[in-house]
Amino acid sequence: MNYNEAASVSRATSISRASKHGSTISRSQSLIKKNVAPQDLRPSDILIERFVAWKAIVKQLIAYFEGIADIQNNIAREYTKLGAVIQVPFRAGNQFLGEGGLQDVYYNIRDKTRVIADQHANLGRTIDSSIVQHLQKLRTEIKAHIKNVQNDTGKLATSVAKERELSAKMIGELSTTINIFKNTPMNVTAKSDPYVANVGVARQLQKQVHEENALQKSIIIMQQNSAHFEEGIVRAIQSAWQTYDEWQSRMSSSVQDTWRVLGDTMSSLAPDREWISFSARSDHLLDPETPLRNPETIIYPSKEDPSVIAVHMGHLERKKRFTRTYREAYYVLTPAGFLHEYASSDPEHIGSHLPVFSLFLPACTLGPPSSASAKSHKFHIEGRKDGTGTTKGGGFKLIGGGQHAWSFRTRSREDMMEWWNDIRMLCARYLVASEQMDRGGPVQAAVRSAGYVSEEEEEENEGSSVEEEEDDDDGDIYQDAVVDEDEEPPSYSNPAKNSGIQIGSNGYAKRKRPRSIAATTTITV
């Protein structure tokens, strides 16, 4: 195969390869990959990777400043909304001063808030127009630099690959001419002379080395340019940050001055200026010297009626039915004939609570007071056999039949006699103790042997808190009433016709006088 045939075969192969890959670029890349060693292009690849990284870094900084611009714009919108919250002038009326008062301060708040919103908006626009656009331009320059590195080194690498491929081809042809010369010297032509072929190889190798040196110089120059270009990148980033720092500092200083002016305006307002002006304009404010009203001086109908004035008030002790102990409470005796029990003597409590226990004295019998020599000062009130005469929480009826009585005790005999005399005037009848009887000797012993106790022993047992059974209390007629708290207070009516009840001159029903008792005398009121 001669040189022309080899050239035609190589050309055909190249054409078919180009048609197969579809472009000369793919052919150049395959040539570079086949005929150029990796170490020859590694410096340029490293440069490309570095500036690709720089491009990503600048992109991050662009996103950062875009976020700051959005924050400033959002702050500006929120401050604008806050400014709209302040509605001035104030609504119609004479509540506040038109000038020189709080309304002027509110005008200042609204206007300064709008100024602060404008300052944030200006910073956001500056970041968008100056810093972000500057960084985007820098990113475009980095992309162009990467493209330049790729183009310059790519073209030279393609040229080196072509020269190396041609050099290999010519060296192969030189070997062929030498073999022809050695084997068939007579078939050597002028073109296939080994000398001529060797001269062509030497020239081709010189051209190859020149292209390789050009590639090396290009890479070195590109490294130097990349170093200067990277310095420009850093300076551009520093310049962008410095611009942001200056504008942000300027905006912050202006905002702080605005807030300071607002604070000074607010503090300059005298706290009593508005009130002094308001009180001077208003005719409906009260004079501070106006005296307070006293409920005791209020005059209303029937305030001084005798039926509403208590007959007697004070503390009494009432004997409990089951525990057999005395409990002290506050009692009020009214002209209507009620003895009311209250839990407290506080007038506020009495005015806001109903009595916890009440006795209707015109339906009761008052027992005699204890003697002056007795250890305790007490008296008894006895109800009717039909169970009427008491109320507790509004009810009058007693549960169960029989006669019921209540024992009351005071701290002194004088107090007891005052209560007894006042209650005596309201009861249907009362009992007066007769002369003392001697209960000593064998009679007293017989009574004790029958299970009864003397008056002195009973007084000693009155402080016991041990609860007794109800069946054991049947012998004592002085019992506490078990009452229904849901019934209404008693109402008084005339007796029905043919009932056999006669009404006396005092307004109460006449009752048959009981048989006389040796120890007591009954007196009917």
Side-chain angles (χ1 to χ4, degrees):
M1 181 183 293
N2 56 19
Y3 178 80
N4 293 328
E5 292 175 353
S8 63
V9 172
S10 175
R11 189 180 304 112
T13 306
S14 299
I15 292 173
S16 63
R17 186 183 297 117
S19 62
K20 182 178 180 181
H21 291 279
S23 66
T24 57
I25 297 177
S26 61
R27 181 176 179 273
S28 298
Q29 291 176 351
S30 62
L31 286 173
I32 293 172
K33 186 175 181 181
K34 181 179 179 181
N35 298 306
V36 178
Q39 65 270 12
D40 295 334
L41 294 176
R42 183 159 297 172
S44 63
D45 294 338
I46 292 175
L47 290 177
I48 292 172
E49 291 177 0
R50 179 169 182 80
F51 285 100
V52 167
W54 269 113
K55 185 177 68 173
I57 291 173
V58 173
K59 183 179 180 180
Q60 294 175 6
L61 196 59
I62 291 172
Y64 178 81
F65 280 109
E66 287 177 345
I68 292 178
D70 290 339
I71 291 173
Q72 297 299 325
N73 293 329
N74 290 332
I75 293 175
R77 285 192 292 268
E78 294 299 326
Y79 271 114
T80 302
K81 293 179 183 178
L82 281 179
V85 170
I86 304 299
Q87 299 291 329
V88 283
F90 296 152
R91 62 182 181 178
N94 62 343
Q95 297 296 328
F96 298 95
L97 287 172
E99 295 181 358
L102 190 62
Q103 187 169 269
D104 289 345
V105 176
Y106 271 57
Y107 269 115
N108 200 17
I109 292 175
R110 185 194 64 180
D111 297 339
K112 295 301 182 182
T113 303
R114 292 175 178 175
V115 170
I116 293 173
D118 293 339
Q119 291 168 348
H120 284 281
N122 291 334
L123 179 59
R125 287 193 296 268
T126 301
I127 293 174
D128 283 329
S129 61
S130 298
I131 299 175
V132 174
Q133 291 184 3
H134 177 69
L135 293 176
Q136 288 176 346
K137 182 180 179 180
L138 177 62
R139 186 167 178 266
T140 303
E141 292 177 356
I142 294 174
K143 292 173 64 176
H145 183 73
I146 293 173
K147 188 174 182 180
N148 290 334
V149 174
Q150 290 175 342
N151 290 337
D152 292 344
T153 57
K155 290 179 180 180
L156 292 175
T158 302
S159 178
V160 169
K162 289 181 179 179
E163 296 300 330
R164 287 182 178 179
E165 184 181 19
L166 183 57
S167 297
K169 179 182 178 182
M170 292 180 68
I171 291 173
E173 291 177 353
L174 176 59
S175 298
T176 302
T177 57
I178 292 175
N179 289 331
I180 293 173
F181 170 72
K182 289 181 179 180
N183 294 325
T184 57
M186 298 305 294
N187 293 330
V188 176
T189 62
K191 290 183 179 181
S192 62
D193 187 356
Y195 173 78
V196 176
N198 184 45
V199 171
V201 169
R203 185 178 59 190
Q204 175 60 32
L205 291 175
Q206 184 179 4
K207 187 178 179 181
Q208 174 187 336
V209 171
H210 177 72
E211 293 296 331
E212 290 175 350
N213 291 335
L215 176 60
Q216 181 178 346
K217 290 179 181 179
S218 175
I219 292 175
I220 293 174
I221 293 172
M222 192 60 65
Q223 290 178 182
Q224 295 174 352
N225 293 338
S226 297
H228 292 292
F229 184 73
E230 185 172 314
E231 292 178 3
I233 294 175
V234 176
R235 289 194 182 95
I237 293 175
Q238 291 174 343
S239 176
W241 194 270
Q242 184 177 1
T243 302
Y244 168 72
D245 188 28
E246 292 176 357
W247 279 90
Q248 199 273 340
S249 299
R250 190 181 307 170
M251 186 274 296
S252 298
S253 178
S254 179
V255 169
Q256 292 298 324
D257 293 340
T258 305
W259 286 118
R260 191 178 300 108
V261 170
L262 281 176
D264 295 340
T265 304
M266 183 64 75
S267 61
S268 63
L269 180 65
D272 58 347
R273 179 176 178 80
E274 288 286 351
W275 178 258
I276 292 174
S277 176
F278 170 69
S279 59
R281 295 193 308 269
S282 179
D283 298 331
H284 301 286
L285 297 179
L286 294 178
D287 186 359
E289 302 298 329
T290 303
L292 298 178
R293 301 186 66 184
N294 187 358
E296 296 181 358
T297 61
I298 298 176
I299 303 299
Y300 56 89
S302 303
K303 179 182 179 180
E304 302 295 337
D305 192 88
S307 63
V308 302
I309 301 174
V311 177
H312 198 125
M313 295 182 295
H315 288 86
L316 286 174
E317 296 180 0
R318 181 165 64 90
K319 191 175 186 180
K320 301 296 290 182
R321 179 180 182 186
F322 295 108
T323 60
R324 314 298 295 169
T325 58
Y326 282 91
R327 186 189 66 179
E328 187 178 66
Y330 189 76
Y331 286 84
V332 177
L333 182 62
T334 66
F338 279 97
L339 179 63
H340 296 300
E341 176 185 330
Y342 291 93
S344 173
S345 60
D346 186 8
E348 294 291 335
H349 177 83
I350 296 176
S352 58
H353 292 78
L354 292 175
V356 296
F357 176 83
S358 296
L359 277 176
F360 186 54
L361 299 178
C364 298
T365 299
L366 175 63
S370 61
S371 62
S373 61
K375 293 183 179 180
S376 61
H377 313 287
K378 58 185 179 179
F379 58 90
H380 311 288
I381 298 177
E382 180 182 327
R384 288 181 178 176
K385 293 184 178 181
D386 59 1
T388 60
T390 182
T391 177
K392 188 173 183 182
F396 270 80
K397 290 295 183 181
L398 296 176
I399 298 176
Q403 197 169 5
H404 294 267
W406 297 268
S407 299
F408 295 92
R409 188 172 68 179
T410 62
R411 298 180 181 179
S412 64
R413 177 170 178 78
E414 292 76 10
D415 194 12
M416 178 192 67
M417 294 308 299
E418 289 180 4
W419 276 105
W420 190 86
N421 287 324
D422 290 338
I423 293 173
R424 176 175 61 88
M425 303 302 296
L426 295 171
C427 284
R429 58 182 53 83
Y430 62 93
L431 305 176
V432 178
S434 62
E435 60 184 16
Q436 294 284 337
M437 296 180 63
D438 186 11
R439 298 182 182 272
V443 176
Q444 184 178 13
V447 170
R448 275 201 295 271
S449 64
Y452 295 97
V453 295
S454 65
E455 182 178 357
E456 289 78 6
E457 293 178 352
E458 182 182 2
E459 290 175 354
E460 293 176 358
N461 296 329
E462 284 176 352
S464 175
S465 60
V466 179
E467 188 171 320
E468 300 178 4
E469 295 293 335
E470 185 175 357
D471 295 339
D472 297 338
D473 197 41
D474 292 337
D476 189 355
I477 65 171
Y478 301 111
Q479 302 175 7
D480 285 334
V482 180
V483 297
D484 186 1
E485 297 184 356
D486 295 330
E487 294 185 7
E488 297 295 331
S491 60
Y492 307 105
S493 61
N494 293 324
K497 289 184 177 182
N498 301 324
S499 61
I501 300 176
Q502 296 180 1
I503 305 300
S505 59
N506 58 358
Y508 299 110
K510 293 183 177 180
R511 297 180 61 183
K512 296 180 180 181
R513 295 179 61 87
R515 288 177 300 175
S516 60
I517 303 173
T520 59
T521 302
T522 304
I523 300 177
T524 303
V525 178

